[in-house]
């Protein structure tokens, strides 16, 4: 399943129907929500026409922007994410060499903005998603993860994200960012960590 969602020709993103998610071993590797290709296209076109840094500049009342996360922080976060998507070795080398400068970009406070916009930023799986619909199936779903040996798991239910409240599935960004710090500063191997979100609903509309 991991190879499938990493293959740009075969990957459907969130468009895999439930039957395929089980059959192709991608259940839990992609968020539980199903979005058609057309719906995914609208998300990309919104970014294409407006851009996230520009959107941040247009939302001065956003709680995260008011807390000090600048559009330039968001731009830097996006750059680092694109490097991590292409070359994790390079990503962690850059992070280790520039840890003091980049830790606030990949984690607090910038990751709060990424978590609050997670549904628009999702590109590829970086963790596992367990929803209320997966009850009774979680033990079999963990076999969809690429590694049998995991040294660190960071789990969130998204309910208390950096004082932003309940972000539901968007809270996975916290687990991802924290494990990136564990790899860069703690010496964990990137293939032996597992970010997890328990998507059991949110109190927010």
């Amino acid at each position: 399943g991991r190879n499938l969602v990493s293959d740009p020709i075969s990957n459907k993103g969130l468009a895999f129907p439930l039957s395929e998610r089980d059959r192709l071993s991608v259940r839990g590797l992609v968020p539980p929500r199903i979005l058609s290709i057309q719906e995914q296209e609208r998300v990309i076109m919104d970014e294409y026409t407006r851009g996230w840094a520009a959107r941040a500049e247009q939302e001065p009342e956003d709680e995260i922007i008011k807390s000090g996360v600048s559009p330039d922080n968001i731009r830097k976060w996006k750059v680092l994410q694109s490097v991590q998507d292409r070359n994790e070795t390079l990503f962690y080398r850059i992070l280790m060499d520039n840890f003091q400068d980049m830790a606030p970009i990949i984690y607090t406070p910038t990751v709060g903005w990424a978590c609050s916009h997670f549904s628009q930023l999702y590109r590829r799986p970086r963790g596992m998603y367990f929803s209320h619909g997966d009850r009774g199936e979680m033990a079999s779903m963990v076999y969809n993860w690429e590694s049998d040996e995991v040294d660190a798991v960071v789990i969130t239910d998204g309910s208390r994200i950096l004082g932003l409240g309940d972000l539901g599935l968007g809270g996975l960004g916290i687990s991802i960012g924290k494990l990136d710090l564990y790899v860069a500063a703690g010496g964990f191997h990137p293939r032996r960590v597992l970010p997890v979100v328990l998507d059991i609903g949110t109190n927010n509309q």
Side-chain angles (χ1 to χ4, degrees):
R2 181 75 176 198
N3 290 336
L4 180 65
V5 294
S6 298
D7 178 0
I9 295 295
S10 303
N11 186 20
K12 299 180 186 179
L14 301 182
F16 288 106
L18 291 177
S19 58
E20 283 187 357
R21 291 177 185 215
D22 283 330
R23 186 166 45 85
L24 300 173
S25 300
V26 298
R27 186 172 176 177
L29 298 181
V30 295
R33 176 87 186 271
I34 297 173
L35 291 181
S36 69
I37 293 294
Q38 292 76 17
E39 289 171 310
Q40 293 178 73
E41 178 185 5
R42 283 196 291 274
V43 172
I44 299 298
M45 290 309 297
D46 187 50
E47 181 180 354
Y48 179 80
T49 55
R50 292 176 50 176
W52 287 107
R55 176 176 292 187
E57 290 172 344
Q58 295 165 6
E59 297 176 352
E61 295 305 311
D62 184 290
E63 290 298 317
I64 302 164
I65 301 302
K66 288 198 309 194
S67 74
V69 175
S70 71
D72 194 51
N73 291 102
I74 295 164
R75 180 192 61 77
K76 289 175 181 176
W77 182 88
K78 292 281 285 178
V79 168
L80 290 174
Q81 291 305 300
S82 69
V83 173
Q84 191 174 24
D85 284 344
R86 296 189 316 268
N87 185 336
E88 283 202 357
T89 302
L90 177 61
F91 169 77
Y92 287 114
R93 176 79 269 158
I94 292 170
L95 183 54
M96 289 166 64
D97 289 346
N98 302 278
F99 189 81
Q100 189 169 352
D101 179 55
M102 292 182 175
I105 302 299
I106 65 162
Y107 197 57
T108 305
T110 309
V111 74
W113 183 89
C115 288
S116 68
H117 293 82
F118 192 81
S119 61
Q120 292 90 16
L121 295 170
Y122 174 81
R123 295 293 178 270
R124 58 183 296 231
R126 289 215 169 276
M128 290 207 73
Y129 307 84
F130 296 103
S131 73
H132 58 84
D134 298 322
R135 191 171 182 174
E137 303 293 330
M138 294 168 71
S140 62
M141 288 169 62
V142 295
Y143 289 102
N144 293 342
W145 189 246
E146 63 184 331
S147 177
D148 292 336
E149 298 181 3
V150 174
D151 297 322
V153 180
V154 174
I155 302 173
T156 183
D157 65 0
S159 63
R160 289 180 64 242
I161 302 300
L162 303 176
L164 301 172
D166 192 341
L167 299 183
L169 186 117
L172 183 64
I174 289 292
S175 299
I176 294 168
K178 189 171 285 191
L179 285 169
D180 283 342
L181 296 182
Y182 289 2
V183 170
F188 286 86
H189 192 285
R191 290 283 178 259
R192 295 179 64 128
V193 298
L194 175 57
V196 172
V197 62
L198 299 176
D199 180 27
I200 51 177
T202 173
N203 295 331
N204 294 337
Q205 290 298 315

